[in-house]
Amino acid sequence: MIEIRALTKSFTLYNQGGAEIPVLAGAALHVAPGECVALTGASGSGKSTLMRMIWGNYLLASGSIRVGDLELAEAEPRQIIALRRRTLGYVSQFLRVVPRVPTHEVVAEPLRVLGVSAPESRIRAEAMLARLNLPRGLWGLSPTTFSGGEQQRVNIARGFVHPYAALLLDEPTASLDAKNREVVLALIEEAKARGAAILGIFHDEAARARVADRELDVTSFTPRQA
Amino acid sequence: MMGKLETMTAAVDAPLLAVDGLTKMYGARVGCTDVSFNLWPGEVLGIVGESGSGKSTLLSCLAGHLAADAGRVVFATRDGPRDLRALSEPDRRRLGRTDLAYVHQNPRDGLRMGVSAGGNVGERLMAVGARHYGSIRDAALDWLGRVEIDEGRIDDRPSAFSGGMQQRLQIARSLVMAPRLVFMDEPTGGLDVSVQARLLDLLRGLVREMGLSAVIVTHDLAVVRLLADRLMVMKGGQVVEQGLTDQVLDDPQHAYTQLLVSSVLQV
């Protein structure tokens, strides 16, 4: 479902004397449907960079990234937009929303853009918020003022409200208490059971051991600094 | 660069707007030069750049408010693709009443200040032949509701409205005809931050529900991040970079875009 070959990435910082920073070289991986692969490696080794390249907000320098039928190296923006709507979900560590939009609408939005009706989207969004134990009193408020753990649960609800065939999870359990961590791990297991291909970053070793089928150390893709 | 899949899908669905080599000079000075892009149905394209970068000139040329010197602006009309630059004035005006809309930065430029709020919305329907007073008033009421203006204000003139309300009224007046393409020039410019957020949410909802395509010119990167699917960065009249909005903002490839992104204050 997710297949990467011979991938390289570097950043050129034009406003800092054109410094060229290589971040990945020769990266390769594949994630099959129903499988969860965990990326490991020290911070700065390129785990999040790799994930953003699959999401499409970082460009690849050379190599290949395929998600489903789409080759990202050649994809038009509108093809990536369609991929994100239907096929590929992403739970990042940041929540970026229009201010003042209520939480239940933020979570329902991925369904609304797919054409699901407003009432059904709302029911499914609220079911997900309830499952993640977000207090009902918060559903009508904007998540911009929420605590870190609450915002993270909103992000997770958005990522699991539609059954994406491929999922990118960047530290999905990082700031959660034991009860909600358990809910998230169960959601991941259910997604695997229905055939989703999942690529995750988990600093939480017990969580990683429970949901990941394989680990991949990104350090092997880190270019040697010249 | 077209992949195989792209060539195949292009055969079944066509861009709503295909711009090729659009150029506008002000004497020897460049307004915008050699601008090319495709806009697909349902897509929102953001255009950013500093003052004088040519983004407003480009928007005016696209909308036909300014005559370009060269290039093509092909719009998929209901009767097939037509170059807007080659259209007769009556045909262009007809298209402007049905398929194309323009939202000005200053609502006073897009509203008739001496006409009631309801009249501002309703006269667009009358321009295409609606005659039944009751149904025109009902449509106006419906649209005032959609842009969150209290129906009790329908007979008030826009001069009695706040800036944010005027802007929402202008949007109602622009969208009542269910256009297929909307041009917006700094639609949230000049508004308080809290009013901006509400307007952004409103625009997002309308774009989604009506399947609208839009070209939005702004200098506000936060606005394009939340509203635009794709982004075009202009400098000195030229497009220096374009792509998926979050890709251009998170991994800018051009020196100028990097400068622009790194200059934004974080709150």
Side-chain angles (χ1 to χ4, degrees), chain A residues 90-131:
Chain A
Y90 179 29
V91 176
S92 75
Q93 297 190 68
F94 309 98
L95 182 67
R96 230 190 280 266
V97 294
V98 179
R100 299 175 55 181
V101 175
T103 295
H104 67 80
E105 283 184 25
V106 167
V107 175
E109 203 195 356
L111 298 173
R112 298 288 288 131
V113 297
L114 281 167
V116 178
S117 73
E120 192 196 330
S121 302
R122 180 157 184 168
I123 289 167
R124 284 168 63 182
E126 293 189 345
M128 194 54 81
L129 289 168
R131 189 163 174 198

mmCIF file of all heavy atoms in Angstrom, chain A residues 90-131:
data_model
loop_
_atom_site.group_PDB
_atom_site.id
_atom_site.type_symbol
_atom_site.label_atom_id
_atom_site.label_comp_id
_atom_site.label_asym_id
_atom_site.label_seq_id
_atom_site.Cartn_x
_atom_site.Cartn_y
_atom_site.Cartn_z
ATOM 1 N N TYR A 90 -3.600 11.240 8.178
ATOM 2 C CA TYR A 90 -2.358 11.667 8.840
ATOM 3 C C TYR A 90 -2.707 12.259 10.198
ATOM 4 O O TYR A 90 -3.451 13.235 10.273
ATOM 5 C CB TYR A 90 -1.676 12.698 7.943
ATOM 6 C CG TYR A 90 -0.372 13.294 8.449
ATOM 7 C CD1 TYR A 90 0.489 12.590 9.291
ATOM 8 C CD2 TYR A 90 0.015 14.570 8.046
ATOM 9 C CE1 TYR A 90 1.692 13.145 9.724
ATOM 10 C CE2 TYR A 90 1.209 15.140 8.457
ATOM 11 C CZ TYR A 90 2.042 14.411 9.302
ATOM 12 O OH TYR A 90 3.225 14.971 9.715
ATOM 13 N N VAL A 91 -2.198 11.647 11.251
ATOM 14 C CA VAL A 91 -2.355 12.222 12.584
ATOM 15 C C VAL A 91 -1.005 12.837 12.949
ATOM 16 O O VAL A 91 -0.057 12.123 13.261
ATOM 17 C CB VAL A 91 -2.771 11.161 13.623
ATOM 18 C CG1 VAL A 91 -2.826 11.781 15.018
ATOM 19 C CG2 VAL A 91 -4.119 10.557 13.258
ATOM 20 N N SER A 92 -0.925 14.165 12.846
ATOM 21 C CA SER A 92 0.339 14.829 13.142
ATOM 22 C C SER A 92 0.334 15.260 14.597
ATOM 23 O O SER A 92 -0.629 15.034 15.319
ATOM 24 C CB SER A 92 0.534 16.036 12.230
ATOM 25 O OG SER A 92 -0.308 17.087 12.666
ATOM 26 N N GLN A 93 1.412 15.887 15.021
ATOM 27 C CA GLN A 93 1.467 16.342 16.412
ATOM 28 C C GLN A 93 0.886 17.738 16.556
ATOM 29 O O GLN A 93 0.872 18.286 17.643
ATOM 30 C CB GLN A 93 2.909 16.325 16.904
ATOM 31 C CG GLN A 93 3.513 14.945 16.906
ATOM 32 C CD GLN A 93 4.837 14.917 17.628
ATOM 33 O OE1 GLN A 93 4.908 15.089 18.834
ATOM 34 N NE2 GLN A 93 5.900 14.737 16.877
ATOM 35 N N PHE A 94 0.462 18.320 15.450
ATOM 36 C CA PHE A 94 -0.050 19.691 15.492
ATOM 37 C C PHE A 94 -1.481 19.720 15.002
ATOM 38 O O PHE A 94 -1.850 18.990 14.094
ATOM 39 C CB PHE A 94 0.805 20.606 14.616
ATOM 40 C CG PHE A 94 2.266 20.499 14.910
ATOM 41 C CD1 PHE A 94 3.077 19.700 14.124
ATOM 42 C CD2 PHE A 94 2.825 21.161 15.998
ATOM 43 C CE1 PHE A 94 4.431 19.572 14.401
ATOM 44 C CE2 PHE A 94 4.161 21.044 16.281
ATOM 45 C CZ PHE A 94 4.974 20.240 15.484
ATOM 46 N N LEU A 95 -2.267 20.555 15.593
ATOM 47 C CA LEU A 95 -3.655 20.730 15.171
ATOM 48 C C LEU A 95 -3.762 22.106 14.525
ATOM 49 O O LEU A 95 -3.498 23.114 15.162
ATOM 50 C CB LEU A 95 -4.575 20.633 16.388
ATOM 51 C CG LEU A 95 -6.072 20.737 16.117
ATOM 52 C CD1 LEU A 95 -6.554 19.534 15.316
ATOM 53 C CD2 LEU A 95 -6.850 20.807 17.427
ATOM 54 N N ARG A 96 -4.114 22.128 13.227
ATOM 55 C CA ARG A 96 -4.235 23.413 12.539
ATOM 56 C C ARG A 96 -5.668 23.568 12.057
ATOM 57 O O ARG A 96 -6.114 22.796 11.225
ATOM 58 C CB ARG A 96 -3.289 23.465 11.345
ATOM 59 C CG ARG A 96 -2.460 24.734 11.333
ATOM 60 C CD ARG A 96 -1.741 24.878 10.049
ATOM 61 N NE ARG A 96 -0.539 24.072 9.953
ATOM 62 C CZ ARG A 96 0.682 24.516 10.252
ATOM 63 N NH1 ARG A 96 0.867 25.727 10.687
ATOM 64 N NH2 ARG A 96 1.722 23.736 10.103
ATOM 65 N N VAL A 97 -6.403 24.501 12.636
ATOM 66 C CA VAL A 97 -7.831 24.632 12.321
ATOM 67 C C VAL A 97 -8.207 26.097 12.166
ATOM 68 O O VAL A 97 -7.487 26.989 12.616
ATOM 69 C CB VAL A 97 -8.708 24.027 13.446
ATOM 70 C CG1 VAL A 97 -8.513 22.528 13.528
ATOM 71 C CG2 VAL A 97 -8.396 24.674 14.789
ATOM 72 N N VAL A 98 -9.352 26.332 11.494
ATOM 73 C CA VAL A 98 -9.893 27.689 11.441
ATOM 74 C C VAL A 98 -10.344 28.052 12.844
ATOM 75 O O VAL A 98 -11.093 27.302 13.465
ATOM 76 C CB VAL A 98 -11.094 27.769 10.474
ATOM 77 C CG1 VAL A 98 -11.670 29.179 10.455
ATOM 78 C CG2 VAL A 98 -10.687 27.360 9.070
ATOM 79 N N PRO A 99 -9.895 29.185 13.386
ATOM 80 C CA PRO A 99 -10.293 29.556 14.742
ATOM 81 C C PRO A 99 -11.817 29.641 14.851
ATOM 82 O O PRO A 99 -12.491 29.977 13.882
ATOM 83 C CB PRO A 99 -9.667 30.935 14.941
ATOM 84 C CG PRO A 99 -8.643 31.078 13.882
ATOM 85 C CD PRO A 99 -9.046 30.187 12.754
ATOM 86 N N ARG A 100 -12.338 29.328 16.008
ATOM 87 C CA ARG A 100 -13.757 29.470 16.334
ATOM 88 C C ARG A 100 -14.671 28.411 15.726
ATOM 89 O O ARG A 100 -15.867 28.440 15.916
ATOM 90 C CB ARG A 100 -14.273 30.878 15.968
ATOM 91 C CG ARG A 100 -13.529 31.971 16.728
ATOM 92 C CD ARG A 100 -13.925 33.347 16.314
ATOM 93 N NE ARG A 100 -15.363 33.549 16.415
ATOM 94 C CZ ARG A 100 -15.974 34.675 16.081
ATOM 95 N NH1 ARG A 100 -15.270 35.697 15.644
ATOM 96 N NH2 ARG A 100 -17.259 34.798 16.194
ATOM 97 N N VAL A 101 -14.110 27.459 14.979
ATOM 98 C CA VAL A 101 -14.951 26.383 14.460
ATOM 99 C C VAL A 101 -15.078 25.313 15.547
ATOM 100 O O VAL A 101 -14.076 24.878 16.103
ATOM 101 C CB VAL A 101 -14.346 25.772 13.179
ATOM 102 C CG1 VAL A 101 -15.150 24.573 12.712
ATOM 103 C CG2 VAL A 101 -14.268 26.824 12.087
ATOM 104 N N PRO A 102 -16.329 24.886 15.866
ATOM 105 C CA PRO A 102 -16.505 23.913 16.945
ATOM 106 C C PRO A 102 -15.830 22.575 16.662
ATOM 107 O O PRO A 102 -15.707 22.156 15.507
ATOM 108 C CB PRO A 102 -18.027 23.741 17.034
ATOM 109 C CG PRO A 102 -18.639 24.555 15.985
ATOM 110 C CD PRO A 102 -17.587 25.352 15.288
ATOM 111 N N THR A 103 -15.421 21.903 17.742
ATOM 112 C CA THR A 103 -14.693 20.643 17.634
ATOM 113 C C THR A 103 -15.444 19.597 16.811
ATOM 114 O O THR A 103 -14.844 18.914 15.978
ATOM 115 C CB THR A 103 -14.410 20.131 19.058
ATOM 116 O OG1 THR A 103 -13.536 21.071 19.690
ATOM 117 C CG2 THR A 103 -13.762 18.767 19.037
ATOM 118 N N HIS A 104 -16.766 19.477 17.013
ATOM 119 C CA HIS A 104 -17.465 18.425 16.267
ATOM 120 C C HIS A 104 -17.412 18.682 14.762
ATOM 121 O O HIS A 104 -17.385 17.743 13.967
ATOM 122 C CB HIS A 104 -18.905 18.244 16.778
ATOM 123 C CG HIS A 104 -19.823 19.400 16.513
ATOM 124 N ND1 HIS A 104 -20.419 19.610 15.298
ATOM 125 C CD2 HIS A 104 -20.225 20.426 17.300
ATOM 126 C CE1 HIS A 104 -21.160 20.708 15.367
ATOM 127 N NE2 HIS A 104 -21.055 21.223 16.561
ATOM 128 N N GLU A 105 -17.337 19.960 14.352
ATOM 129 C CA GLU A 105 -17.211 20.263 12.919
ATOM 130 C C GLU A 105 -15.803 19.978 12.408
ATOM 131 O O GLU A 105 -15.613 19.528 11.284
ATOM 132 C CB GLU A 105 -17.566 21.731 12.641
ATOM 133 C CG GLU A 105 -19.058 21.988 12.660
ATOM 134 C CD GLU A 105 -19.404 23.437 12.295
ATOM 135 O OE1 GLU A 105 -18.608 24.090 11.587
ATOM 136 O OE2 GLU A 105 -20.471 23.909 12.742
ATOM 137 N N VAL A 106 -14.806 20.269 13.259
ATOM 138 C CA VAL A 106 -13.411 19.988 12.884
ATOM 139 C C VAL A 106 -13.248 18.495 12.612
ATOM 140 O O VAL A 106 -12.623 18.085 11.627
ATOM 141 C CB VAL A 106 -12.455 20.441 14.020
ATOM 142 C CG1 VAL A 106 -11.054 19.890 13.798
ATOM 143 C CG2 VAL A 106 -12.425 21.962 14.113
ATOM 144 N N VAL A 107 -13.853 17.666 13.458
ATOM 145 C CA VAL A 107 -13.713 16.217 13.307
ATOM 146 C C VAL A 107 -14.556 15.700 12.140
ATOM 147 O O VAL A 107 -14.170 14.760 11.445
ATOM 148 C CB VAL A 107 -14.081 15.503 14.632
ATOM 149 C CG1 VAL A 107 -14.055 13.995 14.463
ATOM 150 C CG2 VAL A 107 -13.117 15.938 15.735
ATOM 151 N N ALA A 108 -15.702 16.341 11.886
ATOM 152 C CA ALA A 108 -16.598 15.873 10.812
ATOM 153 C C ALA A 108 -16.098 16.291 9.430
ATOM 154 O O ALA A 108 -16.520 15.733 8.419
ATOM 155 C CB ALA A 108 -18.015 16.419 11.041
ATOM 156 N N GLU A 109 -15.181 17.267 9.383
ATOM 157 C CA GLU A 109 -14.811 17.841 8.090
ATOM 158 C C GLU A 109 -14.288 16.832 7.064
ATOM 159 O O GLU A 109 -14.679 16.893 5.888
ATOM 160 C CB GLU A 109 -13.805 18.979 8.277
ATOM 161 C CG GLU A 109 -13.850 19.901 7.082
ATOM 162 C CD GLU A 109 -12.674 20.830 6.990
ATOM 163 O OE1 GLU A 109 -11.833 20.824 7.904
ATOM 164 O OE2 GLU A 109 -12.598 21.548 5.993
ATOM 165 N N PRO A 110 -13.415 15.877 7.466
ATOM 166 C CA PRO A 110 -12.959 14.905 6.457
ATOM 167 C C PRO A 110 -14.111 14.148 5.812
ATOM 168 O O PRO A 110 -14.029 13.765 4.637
ATOM 169 C CB PRO A 110 -12.078 13.941 7.267
ATOM 170 C CG PRO A 110 -11.654 14.708 8.473
ATOM 171 C CD PRO A 110 -12.773 15.661 8.770
ATOM 172 N N LEU A 111 -15.206 13.944 6.549
ATOM 173 C CA LEU A 111 -16.366 13.255 5.979
ATOM 174 C C LEU A 111 -17.153 14.197 5.075
ATOM 175 O O LEU A 111 -17.636 13.810 4.013
ATOM 176 C CB LEU A 111 -17.272 12.737 7.104
ATOM 177 C CG LEU A 111 -16.629 11.705 8.029
ATOM 178 C CD1 LEU A 111 -17.551 11.400 9.203
ATOM 179 C CD2 LEU A 111 -16.320 10.426 7.249
ATOM 180 N N ARG A 112 -17.281 15.469 5.487
ATOM 181 C CA ARG A 112 -18.034 16.445 4.688
ATOM 182 C C ARG A 112 -17.394 16.620 3.308
ATOM 183 O O ARG A 112 -18.099 16.714 2.317
ATOM 184 C CB ARG A 112 -18.118 17.786 5.420
ATOM 185 C CG ARG A 112 -18.856 17.730 6.751
ATOM 186 C CD ARG A 112 -20.365 17.556 6.580
ATOM 187 N NE ARG A 112 -20.964 18.775 6.072
ATOM 188 C CZ ARG A 112 -21.810 18.807 5.043
ATOM 189 N NH1 ARG A 112 -22.130 17.706 4.413
ATOM 190 N NH2 ARG A 112 -22.312 19.959 4.652
ATOM 191 N N VAL A 113 -16.048 16.667 3.250
ATOM 192 C CA VAL A 113 -15.408 16.858 1.934
ATOM 193 C C VAL A 113 -15.571 15.616 1.063
ATOM 194 O O VAL A 113 -15.458 15.696 -0.157
ATOM 195 C CB VAL A 113 -13.904 17.239 2.016
ATOM 196 C CG1 VAL A 113 -13.717 18.561 2.719
ATOM 197 C CG2 VAL A 113 -13.074 16.171 2.673
ATOM 198 N N LEU A 114 -15.858 14.482 1.677
ATOM 199 C CA LEU A 114 -16.119 13.271 0.891
ATOM 200 C C LEU A 114 -17.575 13.178 0.471
ATOM 201 O O LEU A 114 -17.980 12.218 -0.173
ATOM 202 C CB LEU A 114 -15.750 12.029 1.708
ATOM 203 C CG LEU A 114 -14.266 11.695 1.759
ATOM 204 C CD1 LEU A 114 -13.989 10.663 2.824
ATOM 205 C CD2 LEU A 114 -13.777 11.216 0.401
ATOM 206 N N GLY A 115 -18.382 14.170 0.884
ATOM 207 C CA GLY A 115 -19.777 14.195 0.453
ATOM 208 C C GLY A 115 -20.739 13.506 1.405
ATOM 209 O O GLY A 115 -21.910 13.339 1.086
ATOM 210 N N VAL A 116 -20.264 13.090 2.589
ATOM 211 C CA VAL A 116 -21.176 12.512 3.588
ATOM 212 C C VAL A 116 -22.068 13.647 4.112
ATOM 213 O O VAL A 116 -21.602 14.769 4.302
ATOM 214 C CB VAL A 116 -20.378 11.864 4.745
ATOM 215 C CG1 VAL A 116 -21.316 11.297 5.806
ATOM 216 C CG2 VAL A 116 -19.448 10.778 4.213
ATOM 217 N N SER A 117 -23.353 13.357 4.345
ATOM 218 C CA SER A 117 -24.303 14.396 4.754
ATOM 219 C C SER A 117 -23.916 14.988 6.107
ATOM 220 O O SER A 117 -23.218 14.343 6.898
ATOM 221 C CB SER A 117 -25.713 13.806 4.855
ATOM 222 O OG SER A 117 -25.785 12.987 6.012
ATOM 223 N N ALA A 118 -24.372 16.219 6.352
ATOM 224 C CA ALA A 118 -24.038 16.890 7.609
ATOM 225 C C ALA A 118 -24.504 16.094 8.830
ATOM 226 O O ALA A 118 -23.724 15.905 9.773
ATOM 227 C CB ALA A 118 -24.608 18.308 7.606
ATOM 228 N N PRO A 119 -25.758 15.609 8.864
ATOM 229 C CA PRO A 119 -26.188 14.871 10.064
ATOM 230 C C PRO A 119 -25.381 13.591 10.295
ATOM 231 O O PRO A 119 -24.969 13.307 11.424
ATOM 232 C CB PRO A 119 -27.660 14.537 9.769
ATOM 233 C CG PRO A 119 -28.079 15.444 8.673
ATOM 234 C CD PRO A 119 -26.847 15.794 7.904
ATOM 235 N N GLU A 120 -25.123 12.836 9.220
ATOM 236 C CA GLU A 120 -24.379 11.590 9.419
ATOM 237 C C GLU A 120 -22.937 11.873 9.840
ATOM 238 O O GLU A 120 -22.387 11.195 10.713
ATOM 239 C CB GLU A 120 -24.391 10.739 8.141
ATOM 240 C CG GLU A 120 -23.888 9.323 8.433
ATOM 241 C CD GLU A 120 -23.504 8.524 7.204
ATOM 242 O OE1 GLU A 120 -24.098 8.749 6.127
ATOM 243 O OE2 GLU A 120 -22.598 7.677 7.331
ATOM 244 N N SER A 121 -22.324 12.901 9.231
ATOM 245 C CA SER A 121 -20.954 13.266 9.601
ATOM 246 C C SER A 121 -20.892 13.611 11.075
ATOM 247 O O SER A 121 -19.960 13.229 11.786
ATOM 248 C CB SER A 121 -20.477 14.474 8.794
ATOM 249 O OG SER A 121 -20.529 14.218 7.424
ATOM 250 N N ARG A 122 -21.906 14.340 11.523
ATOM 251 C CA ARG A 122 -21.906 14.782 12.915
ATOM 252 C C ARG A 122 -22.037 13.589 13.868
ATOM 253 O O ARG A 122 -21.333 13.511 14.879
ATOM 254 C CB ARG A 122 -23.048 15.777 13.138
ATOM 255 C CG ARG A 122 -23.087 16.250 14.565
ATOM 256 C CD ARG A 122 -23.784 17.567 14.724
ATOM 257 N NE ARG A 122 -23.681 17.976 16.128
ATOM 258 C CZ ARG A 122 -23.986 19.169 16.568
ATOM 259 N NH1 ARG A 122 -24.393 20.092 15.731
ATOM 260 N NH2 ARG A 122 -23.867 19.468 17.842
ATOM 261 N N ILE A 123 -22.910 12.652 13.516
ATOM 262 C CA ILE A 123 -23.095 11.462 14.361
ATOM 263 C C ILE A 123 -21.778 10.690 14.473
ATOM 264 O O ILE A 123 -21.349 10.300 15.556
ATOM 265 C CB ILE A 123 -24.215 10.567 13.780
ATOM 266 C CG1 ILE A 123 -25.572 11.254 13.989
ATOM 267 C CG2 ILE A 123 -24.210 9.182 14.428
ATOM 268 C CD1 ILE A 123 -26.715 10.638 13.197
ATOM 269 N N ARG A 124 -21.121 10.509 13.326
ATOM 270 C CA ARG A 124 -19.871 9.729 13.341
ATOM 271 C C ARG A 124 -18.767 10.476 14.082
ATOM 272 O O ARG A 124 -17.963 9.868 14.788
ATOM 273 C CB ARG A 124 -19.455 9.397 11.904
ATOM 274 C CG ARG A 124 -20.322 8.265 11.327
ATOM 275 C CD ARG A 124 -20.161 8.107 9.847
ATOM 276 N NE ARG A 124 -18.811 7.734 9.427
ATOM 277 C CZ ARG A 124 -18.461 7.580 8.149
ATOM 278 N NH1 ARG A 124 -19.357 7.746 7.198
ATOM 279 N NH2 ARG A 124 -17.228 7.264 7.840
ATOM 280 N N ALA A 125 -18.711 11.806 13.901
ATOM 281 C CA ALA A 125 -17.691 12.605 14.590
ATOM 282 C C ALA A 125 -17.909 12.535 16.099
ATOM 283 O O ALA A 125 -16.966 12.347 16.875
ATOM 284 C CB ALA A 125 -17.745 14.057 14.107
ATOM 285 N N GLU A 126 -19.162 12.662 16.522
ATOM 286 C CA GLU A 126 -19.432 12.665 17.954
ATOM 287 C C GLU A 126 -19.195 11.292 18.574
ATOM 288 O O GLU A 126 -18.747 11.190 19.718
ATOM 289 C CB GLU A 126 -20.871 13.165 18.201
ATOM 290 C CG GLU A 126 -20.988 14.645 17.820
ATOM 291 C CD GLU A 126 -22.304 15.291 18.213
ATOM 292 O OE1 GLU A 126 -23.274 14.561 18.527
ATOM 293 O OE2 GLU A 126 -22.358 16.541 18.206
ATOM 294 N N ALA A 127 -19.465 10.241 17.812
ATOM 295 C CA ALA A 127 -19.190 8.893 18.324
ATOM 296 C C ALA A 127 -17.693 8.736 18.580
ATOM 297 O O ALA A 127 -17.268 8.149 19.584
ATOM 298 C CB ALA A 127 -19.673 7.848 17.318
ATOM 299 N N MET A 128 -16.878 9.294 17.657
ATOM 300 C CA MET A 128 -15.426 9.191 17.814
ATOM 301 C C MET A 128 -14.950 10.023 19.001
ATOM 302 O O MET A 128 -14.092 9.577 19.784
ATOM 303 C CB MET A 128 -14.767 9.650 16.507
ATOM 304 C CG MET A 128 -13.309 9.305 16.359
ATOM 305 S SD MET A 128 -12.930 7.558 16.576
ATOM 306 C CE MET A 128 -13.361 6.881 14.978
ATOM 307 N N LEU A 129 -15.511 11.222 19.179
ATOM 308 C CA LEU A 129 -15.132 12.067 20.313
ATOM 309 C C LEU A 129 -15.525 11.405 21.635
ATOM 310 O O LEU A 129 -14.775 11.449 22.610
ATOM 311 C CB LEU A 129 -15.796 13.443 20.193
ATOM 312 C CG LEU A 129 -15.236 14.331 19.078
ATOM 313 C CD1 LEU A 129 -16.135 15.548 18.851
ATOM 314 C CD2 LEU A 129 -13.809 14.773 19.408
ATOM 315 N N ALA A 130 -16.695 10.760 21.650
ATOM 316 C CA ALA A 130 -17.152 10.080 22.865
ATOM 317 C C ALA A 130 -16.211 8.918 23.185
ATOM 318 O O ALA A 130 -15.825 8.710 24.327
ATOM 319 C CB ALA A 130 -18.581 9.579 22.675
ATOM 320 N N ARG A 131 -15.833 8.192 22.155
ATOM 321 C CA ARG A 131 -14.957 7.043 22.369
ATOM 322 C C ARG A 131 -13.607 7.488 22.943
ATOM 323 O O ARG A 131 -12.998 6.795 23.746
ATOM 324 C CB ARG A 131 -14.759 6.322 21.047
ATOM 325 C CG ARG A 131 -14.050 5.024 21.242
ATOM 326 C CD ARG A 131 -14.182 4.086 20.083
ATOM 327 N NE ARG A 131 -13.320 2.952 20.366
ATOM 328 C CZ ARG A 131 -12.899 2.092 19.470
ATOM 329 N NH1 ARG A 131 -13.289 2.230 18.222
ATOM 330 N NH2 ARG A 131 -12.108 1.109 19.803
#
